[in-house]
Structure formats: structure tokens, C-alpha cells
């Protein structure tokens, strides 16, 4: 029998059942008296249970001292779920709509829970959504891509064709032009999911647009623009400059190691690195080469930036350098005083992030944060910096600088030029106020 | 067959196969689009009217279609804000003359007719995406008619107007906001430069605002309970927005006990045990019925006192007045944790 003194030692290892039997008892078992063995095991188990209850009160954490059921019984088999799902304990991290932002959920947005993601890759199931006329799960065997307009050879590709062509895999962020658009005048939403969650980042795989344009023999003299068009009801259309199309645009069929998700354009979407998400046309069916921009609905009526003089800026596309602290962030309560790893994301539509500074006193003093690799062009970059919270009030901010030397602006600097009604392209420094209670709130301080 | 026709045939096949110098690099991939396929999909209409099909539709015909297919979302007069932003409103006869919608300088909601600067855009969009639940089902003439009616609702064309490929330019010349757009190269071109500049000050930087904006307490619950939107482990938990803001109670008491500690009050006083001086709870109990206790005790903390609780006097304390008042207030409330 196991002695109580052995079991009382915190962290001691319980012996295997064989160890509870002395040689004489083992002889009885081998002689066929199995009933004796069962009784011996029951007794040993009972002693252990009594001992561990006592221990939990005196010797340490019951999560350590009392072995949980998963350590003492059989777990689930392989392929219990053919496509794995996150732990049930992660169910709080969901894409969510911002109530009141739109009136029809088929023409709406769901936001990525940036407060809960790590590193720079957005899990496919948490990638933000923006649909203009609902989403579809399109049969890929029936999907076609056409290239026409100012080309020698108008072409049609099947998915089979596209997936035979030389592919590239590249990591890029995608940000809606209206991300943070609710905050031009004042703070409006409580958490980073709603302030910055129209932002995601994937490794995309597909064919460079230049490859397809070359195959079609595009007009190099007059072909100044391309039109990307979707196959959904809205047949979403956006003009992209030929210069950009040839630079790094791609026609992508995969994200993060699997085919695109239906909500993200399955089976084919445009990837237009550095420019706003609306140009990354989903369910891509057609590319036309032309000599003028198309002036589509989302270039003339929406995705235009209203300036203080009443004029609209048109064809604003680039997502300028921006950053945000994702933890701690609005709507959270810090556990206690002491050490915290302050972490966040930085990105620039003009290239790589060069540096991120963090302030804990509302922008008066700044320290340079650590950038995690990889640091890639037009891709999210993760930054981290240590902080000891003394329990007093604090205002946390991050400020990114990109390779062009551009420094992420303050909201008042943006307002001085663009007013408060432009909706799009708000890349202001975000402030999170930490109250003495540990509660973190969205505020504006500049 | 002559060698000439052979050659012609070969050239034709070559073109039909989509072959070119580049296509040859990837043999067997892609094929030529047929003219009928291109016609079926190439539906875009540009601001210079390239792509605009011939056809026509009257305001009167447009009204019939509108009432049947459009009004349920957009309202009988295009004014509805129920499903989508209003289409009509906010433009004036003066705007039609100037080509700039004056109301855009005011802080007001924007309608489609206030914003649109190219009439082709509306034609293209109605044709490709409307009606909302049955896009691409309107005939060309119906698209002209619906657009004619919409323009009439906005007083841009008269009630007897017929919109056609020939009259589109007339409408363009009357669009209230036709001069209201600027193509902004700074956020378009790869070489575009920024219009807003910050500098990376590192130390003792100048601030221009205090707390300029914060969510009001009544807005706490607008996005659901935030406790359910944060991870259950890690450095923080979600704020339980089903409960009242803690800013009113908890942070004050917590900071009070810290304020007391910081100012060495706790060297002599504890919450519920007599130390050198009386406990906070005992003080609160003694002065429970005394209306003048607060001012009395503020004075005592400031100047020092003795004789009430025993032989050891309290020395004068050099705290800020507002801190003393806050501490006394907190102690008389029983020093809540």
C-alpha cells in the first residue's frame, strides 16, 4: 500500500498500481485471485483521494495537486472533427457587427477581434467581412476569369488554368478604407475590434496580375488602368492604376494555406497590396484594361473623402502608416498592478514599417518598441514593449513610422487638413486610457 | 486551298487561340474569349459614356418601375433612410447652375444626388446591381426610365423628360455636384505624398488637448456585453458592461486606500484594527450622527489633534486640501474597499 507520508509530499508522483502490491500479493494475483487485485486498487485510490483533499487545503494549487480528469482518462480520437475548431474556451473571439453602423447585414461589415489575435496572421475564420450585396459560396468548377479591353487577346481562364500557372505566396494586410471611420469627430465605439477591426493579414497565394496581363498582350501605351469586377450581385467594380497592377497586384485563390473562404471571395479575389480593401474585389470574374478610370459607384458615391470645403477627394486608395495597441485595449480590465507585455500591430500601404514608439503618458514621452520579425512590405508588423503598471491612471498610445519616413499623425493633425467628415483613411494615433480600476477605455488625447 | 488562304487560316486560328508571344510561355492555359462572352460580361459604363448601350426611358415609365421595384427600400420619393441612405434631397437649383452642392459644406447627411458627379455612375450601378434582391434583371430601357424618374425626383429633369444615350450629356451638364470632385493623387499614385505630417518627438512633447473625447457612460452597453468579447485568460478580462461603470465607486475607493498609504496615514491607522490611532471603521462609527464631522476632521488632519482616542496625538499632515477632503469623506463612509 502507498504510504500517506509519500502522498503528502507536494508534487510527489503516484506509483503505478503494480507498486501497491507486495510479492506475496502478486503471487496471489497470478494464481487467479483477481478479486483481490480489484479490492487492493480500490483501497489505494481511496487513500489517494483523501490525501489529496487534505493537500489542497494546505500544500498548494488544487489544479496541480488534484489530477484533472484529462490526465486520468482517455481523450478523443484523431479526426474527431475533420476540420478542426478552436477550443470552446475561445468562443468569445468572434467576428462581430457594430450595431447601428449599417441597416442591412448583406451590405455590412463584421470586425476582426484584434484584441485576441497573436502575431500578424489573421485566422481565416476571423478575417473581417465586408459585403456589398451578400456573399456566395461559388462552385469553383464553374467560375471563370475574363481579361478584355485594351488587350491583343481577350482571354478566359478556368480555376484549373489559374492554378496551373506560376504562383506566388505573399503576406499582406488588408484594411477597409473606412476602418476607424467612426472616430473622426469623437470616440464612438468601445473596443479595438470596432475601432480597428476592418483589418486582417494573410499569406495569399495566387498568380501575379502582370502574368495574366502579359498573356493577354495588354496595350502598353494606352492601357493606363484596369477594372476589377466581381461575380456577385453587386458585380463590385474598382479601378486600379496599371502601374500598381503591374507592381504587386495578384489574383489570389488561397489564404493562409487553404483556399479562400467564401466570405473572402472564394474561389478568386484581387489582392491589391497597400490599398484599401474595397479594391480587393472578391469573386473576381473580369479584368478590363482601359485608358481612363471607370468612375464606378464606389469611386463616385462611396469611398470618397469629404473635405472641409465641401469637395470630395476621389480615388483615395493608399492605406497610410498606422498602428494600434491591441493589448491592453478598450473594454478590458487589467488583472492587477505589475508587469504587462504591451503589444500591437503596425502597417503601411507604402512599404515596410520602420519603427514603432509607445507612450504611457498620453503622448508626452515615448519609448521605441521591439518589432517582431518578419517585417514585410505592406504587411502587418507585430510590436511589443514591457510596461510596469503602478496602478495609477495612464494613457497608452503607439506611433508607427514607415520606410518613407512618414510618421503616423495625431487626430488633430488629420482634422486640420481633412476636417471631421471624410469617413475614410483615418490613420490617427489611438489612445487607450487605463483607469485606476484597471479598466481600459477608448479616448482621444493629442 | 491556296497557300495564301492557308496562311490566313493559320493566322485566324492563332488569334482565336489567344496565342501570342506571352501565351506561348504557358501552353495549354487559358483560351480566347468569344465576342458573345465579352458582350455578356462587359457591362461597364464609363464617365465618357464608353459602354453605354442605346435605349431610352421616360420619367413616367420610370415611376411605374420605381413603385414596383425600388420604393420598398428607397421610399416613394427616394427619401427613405430605412434600408439605405437617402437618394434624393439636399440639392438646389443654384447647385445645378454651379455644379457644386452647397449643402456639402454643412454638417448634414449626404444623399446620393448630393454626391454623384458623373451620371454614368448611376446608370452603370442600377444596371449591374439593382434591384437589390434581383440585380441585372432590368432591361436597358428600364434602366434609363428608372434613372429618369430618380433625376426627376431630384428636380434635375422635368416630368416629361426622356432619358436616352443621346440625352445623358444634357443631364451630366445639370448634375448638381458635377464639379464637386478632385482626383487626389496623394493617396492614389505609388509615388503620392502625404498631406498630413507628424514628427516623432520622443521627450517632453507638447500636448494640445487633455482628455478630448471619451465614451459617455450611457454608451457602455451599445456593443453588447464586452465581458463576452474578450478572452477568458490572459492579462485582462472583458469589462462587464451589464454592470454599472466602476469609475464611480471602485476606482475611487481603491485610489483612496492607496492615497492613504502614500501619505503615511496607514502608519498609524488601519481599516478595522486599532494601531497607533483608531481604525477608519471606528472613526466612521463615532462620527456617524455628526453633521459637522467632515469639516471637523479635515481640520484635524491638517493641523493635528489629540485627546479624543487616547494619549497619542496626531501630528499635522501636509497633504493637498482636496486630498484631505477626499480621504475624510472616504473614511466617514466606512473606507469602502
Amino acid at each position: 500500500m502507498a504510504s500517506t507520508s509519500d502522498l503528502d509530499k507536494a508534487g510527489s508522483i503516484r506509483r503505478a498500481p503494480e507498486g501497491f502490491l507486495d510479492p506475496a500479493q502478486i503471487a496471489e494475483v497470478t494464481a487467479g485471485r483477481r478479486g483481490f487485485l480489484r479490492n487492493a486498487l480500490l483501497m489505494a485510490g481511496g487513500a489517494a483521494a483523501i490525501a489529496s483533499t487534505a493537500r489542497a487545503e494546505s500544500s498548494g494549487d488544487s489544479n496541480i495537486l488534484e489530477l484533472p480528469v484529462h490526465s486520468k482518462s482517455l481523450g478523443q480520437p484523431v479526426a474527431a472533427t475533420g476540420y478542426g475548431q478552436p477550443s470552446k474556451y475561445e468562443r468569445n473571439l468572434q467576428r462581430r457587427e457594430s450595431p447601428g453602423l449599417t441597416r442591412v447585414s448583406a451590405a455590412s461589415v463584421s470586425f476582426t477581434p484584434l484584441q485576441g489575435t497573436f502575431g500578424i496572421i489573421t485566422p481565416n475564420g476571423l478575417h473581417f467581412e465586408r459585403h456589398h450585396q451578400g456573399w456566395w459560396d461559388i462552385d469553383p468548377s464553374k467560375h471563370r476569369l475574363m481579361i478584355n479591353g485594351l488587350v491583343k487577346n481577350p482571354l478566359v481562364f478556368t480555376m484549373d488554368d489559374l492554378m496551373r500557372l506560376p504562383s506566388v505566396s505573399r503576406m499582406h494586410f488588408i484594411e477597409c478604407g473606412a476602418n476607424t471611420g467612426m472616430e473622426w469627430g469623437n470616440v464612438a465605439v468601445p473596443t479595438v475590434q470596432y475601432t480597428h477591426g476592418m483589418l486582417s493579414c494573410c499569406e495569399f497565394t495566387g498568380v501575379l496580375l502582370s502574368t495574366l496581363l502579359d498573356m493577354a498582350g495588354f496595350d502598353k501605351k494606352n492601357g493606363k488602368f484596369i477594372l476589377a469586377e466581381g461575380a456577385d450581385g453587386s458585380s463590385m467594380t474598382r479601378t486600379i492604376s496599371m502601374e500598381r497592377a503591374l507592381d504587386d497586384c495578384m489574383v489570389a485563390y488561397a489564404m493562409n494555406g487553404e483556399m479562400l473562404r467564401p466570405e473572402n471571395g472564394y474561389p478568386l479575389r484581387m489582392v491589391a497590396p497597400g490599398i484599401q480593401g474595397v479594391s480587393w474585389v472578391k469573386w473576381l470574374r473580369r479584368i478590363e484594361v482601359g485608358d481612363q478610370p471607370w468612375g464606378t459607384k464606389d469611386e463616385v458615391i462611396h469611398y470618397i473623402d469629404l473635405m472641409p470645403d465641401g469637395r470630395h477627394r476621389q480615388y483615395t486608395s493608399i492605406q497610410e502608416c498606422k498602428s494600434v495597441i491591441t493589448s491592453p485595449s478598450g473594454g478590458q480590465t487589467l488583472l492587477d498592478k505589475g508587469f504587462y507585455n504591451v503589444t500591437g500591430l503596425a502597417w503601411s500601404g507604402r512599404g515596410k514599417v520602420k519603427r514603432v514608439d509607445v507612450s504611457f503618458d498620453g503622448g508626452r514621452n515615448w519609448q521605441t518598441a521591439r518589432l517582431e520579425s518578419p517585417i514585410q512590405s505592406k504587411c502587418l508588423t507585430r510590436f511589443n514593449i514591457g510596461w510596469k503598471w503602478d496602478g495609477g491612471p495612464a494613457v497608452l498610445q503607439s506611433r508607427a513610422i514607415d520606410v518613407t519616413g512618414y510618421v503616423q499623425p495625431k487626430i488633430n493633425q488629420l482634422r486640420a487638413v481633412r476636417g471631421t467628415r471624410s469617413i475614410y483613411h483615418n490613420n490617427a494615433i489611438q489612445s487607450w486610457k487605463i483607469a485606476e480600476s484597471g479598466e481600459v477605455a477608448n479616448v482621444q488625447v493629442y | 486551298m491556296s497557300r495564301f488562304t492557308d496562311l490566313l487560316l493559320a493566322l485566324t486560328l492563332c488569334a482565336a487561340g489567344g496565342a501570342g508571344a506571352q501565351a506561348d510561355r504557358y501552353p495549354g492555359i487559358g483560351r480566347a474569349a468569344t465576342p458573345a462572352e465579352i458582350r455578356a460580361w462587359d457591362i461597364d459604363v464609363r464617365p465618357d459614356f464608353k459602354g453605354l448601350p442605346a435605349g431610352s426611358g421616360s420619367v413616367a415609365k420610370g415611376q411605374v418601375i420605381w413603385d414596383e421595384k425600388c420604393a420598398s427600400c428607397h421610399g416613394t420619393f427616394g427619401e427613405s433612410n430605412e434600408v439605405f441612405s437617402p437618394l434624393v434631397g439636399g440639392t438646389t437649383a443654384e447647385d445645378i447652375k454651379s455644379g457644386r452642392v452647397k449643402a456639402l459644406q454643412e454638417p448634414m447627411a449626404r444623399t446620393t444626388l448630393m454626391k454623384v458627379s458623373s451620371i454614368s455612375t448611376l446608370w452603370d450601378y442600377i444596371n449591374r446591381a439593382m434591384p437589390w434582391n434581383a440585380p441585372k434583371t432590368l432591361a436597358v430601357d428600364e434602366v434609363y426610365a428608372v434613372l429618369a424618374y430618380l433625376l426627376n425626383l431630384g428636380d434635375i429633369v422635368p416630368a416629361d423628360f426622356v432619358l436616352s444615350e443621346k440625352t445623358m450629356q444634357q443631364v451630366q451638364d445639370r448634375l448638381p455636384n458635377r464639379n464637386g470632385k478632385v482626383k487626389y493623387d496623394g493617396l492614389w499614385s505609388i509615388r503620392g505624398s502625404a498631406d498630413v505630417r507628424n514628427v516623432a518627438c520622443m521627450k517632453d512633447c507638447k500636448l494640445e488637448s487633455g482628455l478630448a473625447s471619451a465614451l459617455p457612460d450611457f454608451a457602455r452597453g451599445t456593443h453588447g456585453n464586452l465581458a463576452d468579447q474578450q478572452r477568458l485568460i490572459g492579462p485582462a478580462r472583458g469589462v462587464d458592461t451589464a454592470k454599472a461603470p466602476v469609475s464611480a465607486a471602485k476606482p475611487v475607493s481603491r485610489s483612496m486606500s492607496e492615497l492613504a498609504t502614500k501619505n503615511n496615514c496607514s502608519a498609524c491607522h488601519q481599516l478595522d484594527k486599532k494601531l497607533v490611532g483608531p481604525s477608519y471603521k471606528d472613526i466612521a462609527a463615532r462620527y456617524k450622527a455628526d453633521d459637522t464631522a467632515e469639516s471637523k476632521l479635515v481640520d484635524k488632519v491638517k493641523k493635528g489633534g489629540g485627546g479624543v482616542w487616547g494619549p497619542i496625538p496626531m501630528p499635522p499632515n501636509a497633504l493637498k486640501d482636496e486630498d484631505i477632503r477626499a480621504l475624510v469623506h472616504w473614511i466617514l463612509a466606512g473606507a469602502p474597499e
Side-chain angles (χ1 to χ4, degrees):
Chain A
M1 294 293 295
S3 81
T4 338
S5 63
D6 273 353
L7 290 168
D8 277 346
K9 282 183 205 156
S12 71
I13 298 165
R14 290 175 67 190
R15 289 184 289 172
E18 303 86 324
F20 293 100
L21 307 180
D22 60 31
Q25 288 168 326
I26 289 171
E28 287 193 282
V29 171
T30 47
R33 294 179 58 193
R34 299 287 163 95
F36 168 80
L37 177 60
R38 191 171 64 243
N39 290 341
L41 287 172
L42 284 172
M43 286 168 70
I50 292 158
S52 62
T53 307
R55 241 180 8 239
E57 285 162 13
S58 61
S59 317
D61 184 346
S62 63
N63 290 302
I64 296 172
L65 301 177
E66 292 169 25
L67 283 182
V69 67
H70 58 252
S71 300
K72 299 203 295 185
S73 50
L74 180 61
Q76 297 187 64
V78 297
T81 47
Y83 194 101
Q85 294 294 310
S87 159
K88 64 185 176 187
Y89 300 105
E90 294 296 309
R91 65 184 175 273
N92 283 1
L93 284 310
Q94 303 272 334
R95 292 189 288 219
R96 294 173 196 274
E97 276 192 273
S98 182
L101 182 63
T102 54
R103 295 174 186 82
V104 191
S105 53
S108 190
V109 179
S110 72
F111 296 78
T112 293
L114 298 176
Q115 69 274 22
T117 61
F118 302 99
I120 57 176
I121 292 293
T122 309
N124 285 344
L126 295 178
H127 193 295
F128 82 93
E129 300 169 276
R130 169 74 170 112
H131 314 307
H132 292 82
Q133 216 147 331
W135 63 273
W136 296 92
D137 195 356
I138 293 174
D139 180 347
S141 71
K142 294 177 178 166
H143 189 74
R144 303 288 182 268
L145 175 68
M146 181 186 290
I147 301 190
N148 73 314
L150 298 178
V151 296
K152 278 198 202 77
N153 318 302
L155 295 175
V156 170
F157 296 94
T158 61
M159 288 306 299
D160 297 341
D161 288 329
L162 294 169
M163 293 170 81
R164 284 169 66 184
L165 283 170
S167 71
V168 295
S169 293
R170 293 178 181 177
M171 289 161 77
H172 291 296
F173 77 84
I174 171 171
E175 183 184 21
C176 177
N179 203 21
T180 324
M182 292 175 273
E183 308 251 316
W184 271 101
N186 49 268
V187 299
V189 291
T191 71
V192 71
Q193 177 159 20
Y194 305 109
T195 58
H196 289 76
M198 287 193 271
L199 171 75
S200 294
C201 184
C202 297
E203 184 200 53
F204 292 99
T205 297
V207 182
L208 284 177
L209 187 50
S210 58
T211 302
L212 302 177
L213 291 169
D214 278 341
M215 287 176 78
F218 75 99
D219 183 337
K220 291 188 170 136
K221 183 157 167 283
N222 299 311
K224 301 281 188 217
F225 304 92
I226 65 139
L227 179 77
E229 181 180 75
D232 60 322
S234 76
S235 288
M236 190 70 202
T237 36
R238 282 286 299 188
T239 303
I240 298 170
S241 76
M242 181 60 81
E243 185 186 30
R244 197 174 283 285
L246 297 176
D247 186 34
D248 56 4
C249 287
M250 63 195 274
V251 168
Y253 42 79
M255 61 198 279
N256 295 336
E258 62 182 5
M259 287 293 285
L260 297 174
R261 291 290 174 92
E263 302 96 309
N264 303 114
Y266 183 90
L268 197 66
R269 86 173 305 169
M270 178 65 71
V271 167
I275 69 175
Q276 60 189 358
V278 67
S279 294
W280 298 43
V281 173
K282 297 187 286 187
W283 313 290
L284 183 70
R285 76 168 192 183
R286 194 168 69 93
I287 287 162
E288 182 172 345
V289 178
D291 57 358
Q292 285 183 33
W294 275 264
T296 69
K297 185 259 289 176
D298 290 300
E299 294 165 348
V300 171
I301 295 166
H302 302 301
Y303 299 90
I304 49 175
D305 307 7
L306 181 59
M307 293 294 111
D309 68 354
R311 273 185 219 264
H312 288 98
R313 281 182 178 172
Q314 207 177 358
Y315 298 106
T316 49
S317 296
I318 295 171
Q319 295 300 111
E320 293 186 293
C321 189
K322 185 169 174 180
S323 68
V324 66
I325 293 169
T326 55
S327 178
S329 59
Q332 298 180 335
T333 301
L334 296 183
L335 293 183
D336 203 352
K337 289 182 286 190
F339 184 83
Y340 285 88
N341 179 59
V342 172
T343 188
L345 294 164
W347 62 100
S348 170
R350 289 198 166 95
K352 289 183 182 180
V353 169
K354 194 170 72 183
R355 195 177 97 197
V356 176
D357 301 322
V358 171
S359 171
F360 300 99
D361 58 4
R364 198 169 291 283
N365 296 288
W366 297 81
Q367 300 167 47
T368 297
R370 213 168 63 243
L371 300 186
E372 300 303 320
S373 56
I375 301 166
Q376 302 186 83
S377 181
K378 304 174 186 178
C379 180
L380 294 188
T381 298
R382 175 63 65 174
F383 66 86
N384 290 296
I385 187 168
W387 179 51
K388 277 182 216 143
W389 183 42
D390 63 6
V395 174
L396 273 54
Q397 299 180 337
S398 65
R399 177 183 68 193
I401 304 172
D402 70 13
V403 279
T404 70
Y406 173 88
V407 181
Q408 183 183 2
K410 302 194 275 189
I411 185 68
N412 57 318
Q413 294 170 325
L414 283 166
R415 284 183 192 143
V417 177
R418 304 185 194 165
T420 58
R421 297 191 293 143
S422 64
I423 298 178
Y424 302 97
H425 303 109
N426 178 356
N427 64 325
I429 290 171
Q430 171 69 42
S431 304
W432 302 120
K433 178 171 175 282
I434 318 274
E436 287 158 321
S437 63
E439 188 168 325
V440 190
N442 180 13
V443 297
Q444 291 185 343
V445 176
Y446 44 84
Chain B
M1 212 183 276
S2 75
R3 289 184 64 177
F4 177 70
T5 48
D6 272 351
L7 182 63
L8 265 185
L9 187 64
L11 281 171
T12 312
L13 285 173
C14 180
Q22 291 301 325
D24 289 344
R25 284 180 65 185
Y26 308 115
I29 295 180
R31 64 164 176 83
T34 70
E37 287 172 337
I38 294 172
R39 271 199 306 278
W41 275 11
D42 186 358
I43 57 172
D44 53 79
V45 179
R46 291 198 316 204
D48 63 354
F49 302 136
K50 183 174 175 293
L52 182 67
S56 70
S58 65
V59 170
K61 188 185 161 199
Q63 182 170 8
V64 176
I65 302 165
W66 184 274
D67 288 346
E68 187 193 333
K69 297 183 173 175
C70 314
S72 60
C73 288
H74 293 295
T76 306
F77 305 105
E79 82 298 345
S80 175
N81 198 27
E82 285 296 310
V83 185
F84 302 106
S85 312
L87 299 176
V88 177
T91 60
T92 65
E94 191 55 40
D95 298 339
I96 291 176
K97 272 187 215 148
S98 68
R100 287 282 306 277
V101 170
K102 199 148 181 292
L104 287 171
Q105 294 166 46
E106 312 298 327
M108 64 175 285
R110 286 173 281 171
T111 67
T112 294
L113 289 185
M114 285 168 72
K115 292 189 283 185
V116 67
S117 52
S118 46
I119 190 62
S120 63
T121 303
L122 292 178
W123 202 100
D124 176 273
Y125 183 65
I126 294 168
N127 182 52
R128 76 171 55 241
M130 289 293 113
W132 169 248
N133 55 357
K136 304 180 190 68
T137 57
L138 295 176
V140 165
D141 286 348
E142 290 179 314
V143 175
Y144 277 111
V146 165
L147 181 51
Y149 181 66
L150 179 63
L151 292 165
N152 178 249
L153 288 174
D155 286 330
I156 296 166
V157 302
D160 60 355
F161 194 75
V162 176
L163 186 65
S164 72
E165 83 278 7
K166 294 189 185 69
T167 57
M168 284 280 276
Q169 186 60 48
Q170 289 174 34
V171 172
Q172 177 63 37
D173 295 341
R174 288 176 57 78
L175 268 195
N177 202 39
R178 62 188 177 278
N179 300 323
K181 294 272 165 46
V182 281
K183 182 169 177 298
Y184 182 63
D185 206 50
L187 289 182
W188 164 263
S189 165
I190 287 179
R191 284 166 304 280
S193 60
D195 59 339
V196 179
R197 295 272 170 190
N198 190 7
V199 288
C201 167
M202 295 300 284
K203 204 169 174 330
D204 300 324
C205 309
K206 187 168 158 275
L207 300 185
E208 288 164 58
S209 82
L211 186 63
S213 178
L215 279 181
D217 284 344
F218 66 77
R220 279 170 76 79
T222 55
H223 282 69
N225 193 341
L226 302 180
D228 300 334
Q229 302 179 27
Q230 303 279 342
R231 184 166 279 118
L232 302 169
I233 51 160
R237 298 291 180 272
V239 173
D240 187 348
T241 47
K243 291 183 185 148
V246 286
S247 52
K250 198 180 167 200
V252 175
S253 65
R254 178 167 176 162
S255 68
M256 280 299 116
S257 69
E258 282 180 9
L259 189 63
T261 308
K262 202 172 101 195
N263 289 291
N264 293 324
C265 310
S266 46
C268 298
H269 302 279
Q270 284 207 341
L271 176 64
D272 50 15
K273 271 203 303 267
K274 180 174 161 44
L275 212 59
V276 180
S279 75
Y280 297 140
K281 291 239 192 279
D282 287 344
I283 299 171
R286 176 180 289 239
Y287 291 102
K288 210 161 88 182
D290 187 349
D291 287 340
T292 63
E294 197 157 333
S295 60
K296 223 184 281 178
L297 291 186
V298 165
D299 205 48
K300 262 182 198 282
V301 173
K302 216 187 285 188
K303 296 180 183 153
V308 181
W309 296 92
I312 304 172
M314 178 165 71
N317 290 282
L319 276 73
K320 279 185 282 185
D321 279 4
E322 70 251 36
D323 284 353
I324 295 177
R325 270 196 303 277
L327 281 167
V328 167
H329 186 82
W330 171 70
I331 291 164
L332 289 173
E337 265 310 309

